Amino acid sequence: MSEKNRVGKSSARERLREQREKDRIRARRRRGMGVAGAVVAVLGVAAGVGMVATRTGGDAKSGGPAVAPRGASGTVIPTGKASAEKTLTVYEDFRCPGCKQFEDVFRTTVHQLQDKGRLKVRYHLVTIIDGNLGGAGSLTAANAAACAQDAGKYVAYHDVLYKNQPSETKDAYADKSKLIKLAGKVPGLDTKTFRGCVEEGRHDAWVRKSNDGFARSGYSSTPTVLLEGKSIYGDPNKPLSPRKLKRMVVKG
């Protein structure tokens, strides 16, 4: 195959990927019109992109002191090299199907950019689905992820949670034994210390504080993805693809 043909096919695949994302986002907006409350979250599942916050998840009362995980900066879990020039800010809920879709599509690209020292990521843990559908899986999964951060294994466990995400309507992540079992997929994470942290909900109040910060941020859905403070994900007129993200980070 000639170089010209290869470039042409690559461009065609890129356009097709962007068009598919645009169609998914438009479908979500059509389904969401005139619908309120918890139904908004359910429609977000059908569309597969983004979950709209009709009310913040979890109890506003912390129930105790907010104990931040090791290495956190306020309510942010930073990953990647601090010297990286570009910053990606991500607001995510581990029960959110739209968040899983974002992670599944962009995970490899984000990791590559981090490994090359081009990008650092600031994660904000959110509990929208708990608020919209009831349950506690968003909170307990976020606490478990914070416990993994204590062990220096946040990124690996974060990826495991999304790769194994159950239906948010079943609230399976409210089962702490399931979260501990998933830790077995991350070498060295399933320890007595990690188990104790998950079982006692050591970082629950910190997660609630993080979610409260999201409620005040002006953003209303997950995933919310910002590059250098500018929203880059979820606009049907400007669909994001892994190739485009890489270009935005590398070329500026």
Side-chain angles (χ1 to χ4, degrees), residues 68-78 122-124 149 206 209-210:
R70 184 175 303 154
S73 176
T75 56
V76 173
I77 292 181
R122 295 168 61 85
Y123 289 100
H124 297 255
Q149 169 69 11
W206 177 83
K209 184 176 180 181
S210 175

Side-chain angles (χ1 to χ4, degrees), residues 131-220:
N132 282 338
L133 298 184
S138 300
L139 175 63
T140 52
N143 171 70
C147 295
Q149 169 69 11
D150 285 336
K153 298 180 182 295
Y154 174 80
V155 173
Y157 188 63
H158 163 278
D159 291 352
V160 164
L161 288 177
Y162 279 116
K163 289 177 181 178
N164 293 273
Q165 185 191 77
S167 167
E168 87 280 22
T169 58
K170 295 182 179 179
D171 198 25
Y173 277 168
D175 182 354
K176 295 179 180 179
S177 65
K178 181 176 181 65
L179 296 169
I180 291 172
K181 183 177 181 180
L182 287 174
K185 295 180 178 291
V186 179
L189 180 57
D190 186 7
T191 63
K192 182 178 180 180
T193 298
F194 174 81
R195 289 181 174 223
C197 182
V198 172
E199 289 169 350
E200 72 183 47
R202 184 175 304 161
H203 301 297
D204 281 357
W206 177 83
V207 173
R208 291 189 178 100
K209 184 176 180 181
S210 175
N211 189 70
D212 289 345
F214 174 71
R216 296 190 300 269
S217 70
Y219 302 112
S220 60

